Amino acid sequence: MAEETGRPGKKRIRWPISRVSPPGGTETLPGAGMKPAPGGEPWWQEIRPRIFLVALFLTLLLGLALQYRVTDADFWWHLRTGQWILENRAIPYTDPYSFTAEGQPWIAHSWLAEVGMYLLYRYIGPFTLPLLRALLEVATFGLLLKMFWERWPRLWGNLLLLLVVFFATARFWLERPNTLSLAFSPLLLYLWQRYKWNGRAPLWLLPLLMAFWANLHSGFIYGLFLLGMLFLGELLAGRFFPDPLPLERRRWLRFGFFSLLAALAALLNPYGPRLLLYPFTYYFGGITLHTGFVAEWLSPNFHEFSNLLFALLILAMIGALAWRRSGPGPAETLTLLLFLGLALSSIRAAGVAIPMLAWSLSGILGQGVAPRPMVLRRGAWPRPGKGLLWAWYGGTLLLLLLLWAAIGYDFVAWGQKSGFVNEEAYPRQAVSALAEALSPSSHFFNSYNWGGYLIWRLYPQHRVFIDGRADLYGDTLFRDYMAVWRTAPNWAQVLEKYQVEAVLCERQGPLATVLAESRSWQRVYQDDLAVVFRRESPTAGEMKWKPR
């Protein structure tokens, strides 16, 4: 339905964004070399006075985001790498942190983000890391709301959809470089949405974004996948598969040109083309065992709440397709299928796939829906007076101020209690006991989940056996690690092979039970979380082991 807007006596017809022609009229497609359908006021003015509801909603999301206080195991070695780069004034090309892979080639794919993390942590304060992470998360969801609104102008429906996406992806928003990939993916998708449906967008931002992204996190490969699928889909649009607004040849080539520049811009990194191949080494580079052990590489467990929301979004998409009896264009379809496939294979991709799924769902639900609030007509609710409006604005603003004060108070109280960086899940006292039990040249075995924390606490005095950098260690070392951690028949031989003189492991694990019963090992520390053992007869002078 078209809507009449403007001052009395001057009426302007605005057609919905999901329609390509007015009833009985001719098509006005940007892809056909004609101007796109005229847009309305800025989106934030279109939902006024409900803009205060949006502000309240985003404030609540900020409060919820700051409640997620889990410090990821990889956070610690990311932080230490930023310190290493600044102290050495160089970017690492070989492993400096472990004795088992010492000197092996290593790609520090998040070097720029790690430098930024350490600078904030060291010179401003640890509070900046969770605060900036939460603000980036809220800004990303604000962009998603804008993208949803342009396709499905139903405020309450969009807020509900955003809330589902928030809880489904909350665990992926951590104080680590991966968070930047979660923010950049919707931004790249938004540029394409503006270019396709609004006729123009600053595509020159694509190579700049990709050059920056490639030095922040290896998730830049998601951006290249996204551009590739969109380009291929636009090639098929209107030629082999139906599309409501296919790009004409000139605009399609322009999009392809800037996508190619973006791919080339990803080469502007310290490792060159090696970085582009790096993400594929997890599947084709001899480091496949960890995909069956590390949680983020496993397929989603749909008994968990966040994964259940993911499944509900998939079912909602299927139901919406059956209801509307029409789906997205080929570009959107190819992109969605690729990222859903990645997310169903490995849950780490769900942080990108879930917002994309909700965005496609909003497009399907918004077909045939006028993208502007309906004009008040006779019989509708009366327009509120100025006094009531000012009371509404004032009350909402007061509520916002109270919420911000409560969030700030809770944030400061959290910092005073735990210092903003949560170490409760890590063996603080056990690491201190381990350091006392080790000589300067001693080797120790450690739990995979604690390797990053040990790098932060013990490097450069001591080097770890293993940590979360699975691309560095490979299947051979990981197989040896699993043999010890699971107490396989050859566990003692593996420890002798690497001249291990001390062990730090989980107190409730099978390794702790076996070592406690062994005459060759002495327990030197134990608490509710961890236990430290020291070999009774050190083997450092008996073996001639060298790093691989």
Side-chain angles (χ1 to χ4, degrees), residues 319-378:
L321 287 171
W323 176 42
R324 288 298 188 188
R325 297 181 180 274
S326 60
E332 186 175 337
T333 300
L334 289 177
T335 303
L336 186 60
L337 288 176
L338 172 63
F339 281 90
L340 278 180
L342 292 174
L344 293 175
S345 173
S346 173
I347 192 60
R348 66 178 286 132
V352 175
I354 291 175
M356 194 176 299
L357 176 62
W359 172 74
S360 291
L361 178 59
S362 68
I364 295 172
L365 293 175
Q367 292 180 12
V369 178
R372 306 289 184 264
M374 296 299 295
V375 177
L376 291 174
R377 295 186 178 90
R378 184 175 301 176

Side-chain angles (χ1 to χ4, degrees), residues 292-427:
F293 173 77
V294 182
E296 66 178 351
W297 288 99
L298 301 177
S299 297
N301 177 8
F302 290 109
H303 294 283
E304 297 177 355
F305 176 70
S306 58
N307 292 332
L308 181 60
L309 293 177
F310 181 23
L312 290 176
L313 283 174
I314 296 175
L315 294 176
M317 169 70 79
I318 296 173
L321 287 171
W323 176 42
R324 288 298 188 188
R325 297 181 180 274
S326 60
E332 186 175 337
T333 300
L334 289 177
T335 303
L336 186 60
L337 288 176
L338 172 63
F339 281 90
L340 278 180
L342 292 174
L344 293 175
S345 173
S346 173
I347 192 60
R348 66 178 286 132
V352 175
I354 291 175
M356 194 176 299
L357 176 62
W359 172 74
S360 291
L361 178 59
S362 68
I364 295 172
L365 293 175
Q367 292 180 12
V369 178
R372 306 289 184 264
M374 296 299 295
V375 177
L376 291 174
R377 295 186 178 90
R378 184 175 301 176
W381 290 98
R383 184 183 296 275
K386 290 186 177 180
L388 186 58
L389 275 178
W390 281 112
W392 163 254
Y393 291 150
T396 310
L397 181 59
L398 178 61
L399 182 57
L400 278 173
L401 293 175
L402 291 175
L403 283 174
W404 290 337
I407 291 172
Y409 176 81
D410 180 68
F411 185 69
V412 172
W414 169 41
Q416 293 175 345
K417 180 180 178 181
S418 61
F420 297 107
V421 178
N422 191 350
E423 295 186 56
E424 295 179 359
Y426 300 95

Side-chain angles (χ1 to χ4, degrees), residues 83-100:
Q83 181 183 13
W84 190 97
I85 292 173
L86 291 172
E87 290 178 349
N88 292 274
R89 298 183 179 181
I91 295 173
Y93 289 86
T94 58
D95 172 43
Y97 299 135
S98 74
F99 69 88
T100 52

